[in-house]
Amino acid sequence: MKKITAAIAGNPNSGKTTLFNALTGARQHVGNYPGVTVEKKEGSRIYKDCQINFIDLPGTYSLTAHSIEEVVARDYIINENPDVVVNIIDASNFERNLYLATQLLELNVPLILVLNMADVAKKQGYSFDTEKLGSFFNARAILTVASKSEGINELLDSIIEKSQIQTEQTPSPLQIHYGEDIEREIDKLEKLVDKKHPFAKKYGARWLCLKLLEKDEQIIGLSQNREILNAAEQSISHLEKLYGDSPEILIAEKRYGFVSGVYEGAVVHTVQHRHQIS
Ligand code: BGO
């Protein structure tokens, strides 16, 4: 029987626990992530001759090194390489929830987007162009109502489909474009990181460069190469002089810009909703 590992990532209150329960039923066990007191829930489901093992990642808004939950979620994805990452999004709070999806996009993971709370979003007058949404993230997007187990079979089918695509062909990664000035600094750093960073293969050179520009403590700690750290510092101070803001803020702003573009492109406000807000 084929075994598939699917990690579930999402913001707190997006319905992650409800979805995990709907997917795994009673087949669950709870432990801790190694070395930390963050709860690790695992469960499994047999579906269409596959054993799908689900890992419930800690609820996070982002994947920075600022909180232990975010580091645990990020480390799990990078170190354990799950076959599929399911990003559960509260569809009734769509734009805010998409920030995490941009971080997963940048990690170039095999992604599925689950728009949960589809019932609440519908009542609020939102509908979604799931094809278009998926195309921004190189991912299938699926509507679910986890509390009523709606959309679960479609999600299971997508997990199997995605795991097959990954083993057969890896599509070229989609990227967020950070504007000429930041991209120039990323390019410069990337050449160096590609050649000299011990973890360039594991994390991906572009992702490491972004994290160095964002002054990510964990990644700085892993980058004990003076030449790389000096080059990153130079890029940071160049961008700070140019914009009067830290690259961390500039990069976050660009991600929010990307999120707004996705929102404009993939969310439809129904007539009923327009009447309500006018
Ligand atoms: C309570 N639709 C709707 N309408 N609600 C949902 C859906 C959905 O698709 N999915 C989940 N919920 P968690 P995290 C609750 O607990 O899974 C609800 O943090 C209540 N509790 O039932 O816990 C879900 O793991 C009393 O709601 O989220 C839960 O991500 C009154 O969303 C809440 C009303 O889900 C959060 C709701 C005592």
Side-chain angles (χ1 to χ4, degrees):
M1 189 182 295
K2 186 180 173 188
K3 283 193 177 173
I4 300 168
T5 305
I8 307 179
N11 288 193
N13 285 322
S14 54
K16 204 155 62 62
T17 309
T18 312
L19 181 73
F20 183 79
N21 291 340
L23 287 165
T24 61
R27 296 164 299 275
Q28 298 183 3
H29 64 95
V30 183
N32 275 346
Y33 285 93
V36 288
T37 54
V38 177
E39 190 179 275
K40 183 183 189 187
K41 257 195 301 181
E42 294 179 74
S44 68
R45 170 89 169 235
I46 308 288
Y47 184 77
K48 294 194 175 164
D49 218 21
C50 292
Q51 181 183 329
I52 310 174
N53 295 320
F54 291 97
I55 315 293
D56 186 26
L57 296 175
T60 61
Y61 295 102
S62 180
L63 290 177
T64 63
H66 293 317
S67 81
I68 184 70
E69 286 78 12
E70 294 189 17
V71 170
V72 163
R74 182 167 102 175
D75 280 354
Y76 181 86
I77 291 169
I78 293 168
N79 295 329
E80 303 299 327
N81 259 319
D83 300 303
V84 178
V85 177
V86 175
N87 181 193
I88 176 166
I89 287 167
D90 174 357
S92 69
N93 211 341
F94 180 70
E95 201 168 355
R96 181 177 182 209
N97 274 240
L98 270 187
Y99 193 77
L100 179 62
T102 66
Q103 310 261 292
L104 293 166
L105 172 68
E106 291 193 310
L107 269 177
N108 194 24
V109 295
L111 191 60
I112 294 174
L113 301 178
V114 167
L115 302 189
N116 191 42
M117 311 263 184
D119 54 337
V120 183
K122 192 176 171 191
K123 269 192 206 134
Q124 290 172 341
Y126 293 109
S127 66
F128 300 90
D129 183 339
T130 48
E131 285 271 314
K132 199 150 185 194
L133 173 61
S135 71
F136 284 108
F137 291 91
N138 201 1
R140 278 277 298 277
I142 295 158
L143 295 167
T144 63
V145 182
S147 51
K148 292 185 187 156
S149 287
E150 284 176 21
I152 298 300
N153 283 357
E154 197 187 345
L155 172 56
L156 290 167
D157 285 331
S158 299
I159 290 171
I160 292 175
E161 183 193 76
K162 192 78 186 179
S163 73
Q164 281 161 352
I165 293 171
Q166 285 307 306
T167 44
E168 282 161 17
Q169 80 216 52
T170 311
S172 56
L174 296 180
Q175 286 179 357
I176 296 171
H177 191 269
Y178 285 99
E180 263 177 41
D181 296 315
I182 296 177
E183 289 293 339
R184 198 175 302 119
E185 298 309 313
I186 293 174
D187 271 357
K188 264 196 276 178
L189 267 179
E190 201 174 343
K191 289 193 184 91
L192 199 57
V193 165
D194 216 10
K195 252 194 251 158
K196 303 204 167 168
H197 199 293
F199 297 111
K201 270 236 151 60
K202 180 175 177 183
Y203 291 84
R206 182 179 169 87
W207 189 82
L208 285 172
C209 294
L210 280 167
K211 293 294 134 190
L212 287 168
L213 291 178
E214 289 177 284
K215 288 195 179 169
D216 184 293
E217 277 173 28
Q218 192 197 20
I219 298 306
I220 290 174
L222 288 176
S223 311
Q224 289 313 323
N225 174 309
R226 258 289 120 212
E227 205 183 338
I228 292 175
L229 292 177
N230 286 344
E233 275 165 28
Q234 273 177 22
S235 290
I236 290 169
S237 56
H238 170 70
L239 290 167
E240 275 173 351
K241 268 192 213 125
L242 208 58
Y243 289 95
D245 246 331
S246 70
E248 187 183 0
I249 290 180
L250 299 170
I251 288 170
E253 278 173 358
K254 290 284 180 188
R255 286 197 190 116
Y256 282 116
F258 176 81
V259 163
S260 294
V262 173
Y263 184 85
E264 291 302 319
V267 180
V268 184
H269 301 254
T270 62
V271 176
Q272 185 195 358
H273 179 66
R274 269 190 244 120
H275 283 318
Q276 278 169 3
I277 58 174
S278 61

